[in-house]
Structures are given as structure tokens and as C-alpha cells.
Amino acid sequence: LDEQIHDELARELADIESDTSQLFLPTLKQNLTGLYKYKWTVTARIRLSQLHLAVTKFLERYEQDAARARSGELKNALSQWWLELIEKECDELLRLNGFVFHAIPDNYTEERPSDLFAVRTNWMLVQSLLRTKDDDGTFTQPAPLTISYGGGGGGSSGSKLV
């Protein structure tokens, strides 16, 4: 069997070597005929279908984003992100300047702070951070915070400096 295969291959190789023009059967005429017979409309339809699908997906995404914007969802998400960033940066600034975050307990109306010196130090730190620089380069202490209360039916109204 091996001998037969070997002989058959040798004969085929000899035929190919004697007439190499048979190796490249497609000719220019055959190529042109194939191009003329090719259904270009099928390729165009497939490509247009792909483009239509891409545009449809884009428009759906656009409509979803527009609906989120109209409903205020995007604004709320952006505001939430911004507030979290501000809180993180403020906490980091306070931490770097030695602020004691646990100086006042969560239930401070029921439980007195254990370290009033830490509370006072925190207050002084915040006051120093709130100072602003004027145009002439001098620092100005911010105006005291005024809280208004009252003003509703029949009670007294007033304000308190904090």
C-alpha cells in the first residue's frame, strides 16, 4: 500500500512539474465572470442591516439617557457623587489637621462629651480653616453664624449667635 501511494504521488508531481499552468486554474476571465455574477446587493443589505442595528441601539441608549435626565435621576446621581467627594475631601483635610472625629458622641443631647478640650480644639481648628484671605492679603474671620427661630403662629421669634 505504501508503495502504491508513493508511486501515485510521484506520478502526480511529475504531471504538475511538466505543466505548471494547471496550478493556477482561475484566470482573469474567470475572476471577472465571478465578479459580474456576485450579488453585491446582498452584501449591501447585510451592511445596511448592521448599520441600522447600530443606529437603533444608539438611539435607544440616547432615549434612556434623555429620560434619566428629564426625570432628574442624572442630576441626583451627579449631586450625590459631588457631595460624597466634598465630604471625603473635608474629612481628609480635617484629619490631616488633627481633628478628633469622636470628640462629640452621636447622642450628644443625652451624653456629654467626655473630652471638652478636644471639642474646643476641634472648634478652634474649624475656625482657623474658615478664615478667608482678603484682596489685600489679610485674613478675615467669618461672620458668626446666626440661627433664626420662631416666627410661626403666636410664639416669640428671635435669633441666636452661634
Side-chain angles (χ1 to χ4, degrees):
L1 181 64
D2 285 339
E3 219 173 280
Q4 269 184 326
I5 293 173
H6 187 328
D7 290 341
E8 197 62 38
L9 282 173
R11 213 172 312 120
E12 287 294 324
L13 285 174
D15 287 347
I16 290 172
E17 287 174 359
S18 66
D19 188 13
T20 56
S21 66
Q22 296 298 313
L23 286 176
F24 302 101
L25 294 179
T27 63
L28 177 61
K29 184 177 178 183
Q30 289 171 325
N31 285 339
L32 289 174
T33 303
L35 287 174
Y36 286 124
K37 288 182 180 178
Y38 187 76
K39 303 290 184 187
W40 292 103
T41 56
V42 172
T43 303
R45 282 188 182 132
I46 290 171
R47 183 67 182 136
L48 285 174
S49 177
Q50 291 169 340
L51 288 171
H52 181 263
L53 181 63
V55 168
T56 301
K57 284 183 179 182
F58 172 80
L59 289 175
E60 287 172 0
R61 175 64 188 224
Y62 174 79
E63 281 300 318
Q64 291 171 352
D65 289 347
R68 289 178 63 208
R70 285 189 300 271
S71 73
E73 183 183 342
L74 287 177
K75 181 181 176 185
N76 289 340
L78 181 62
S79 297
Q80 184 64 34
W81 169 81
W82 186 243
L83 290 172
E84 287 171 3
L85 179 64
I86 291 170
E87 181 179 12
K88 178 183 154 218
E89 293 296 323
C90 287
D91 286 352
E92 182 64 14
L93 176 68
L94 290 171
R95 186 188 65 74
L96 289 173
N97 284 283
F99 190 85
V100 180
F101 286 94
H102 62 277
I104 299 177
D106 289 336
N107 60 345
Y108 63 90
T109 58
E110 298 169 11
E111 180 184 335
R112 180 185 169 125
S114 61
D115 186 359
L116 290 178
F117 180 75
V119 173
R120 174 84 171 148
T121 305
N122 282 352
W123 178 80
M124 290 170 50
L125 171 65
V126 169
Q127 289 299 311
S128 71
L129 291 173
L130 289 177
R131 290 191 326 175
T132 57
K133 201 176 212 181
D134 289 338
D135 292 337
D136 63 358
T138 60
F139 284 97
T140 304
Q141 193 70 16
L145 178 63
T146 305
I147 300 175
S148 297
Y149 56 92
S156 64
S157 65
S159 63
K160 179 179 177 182
L161 290 178
V162 179

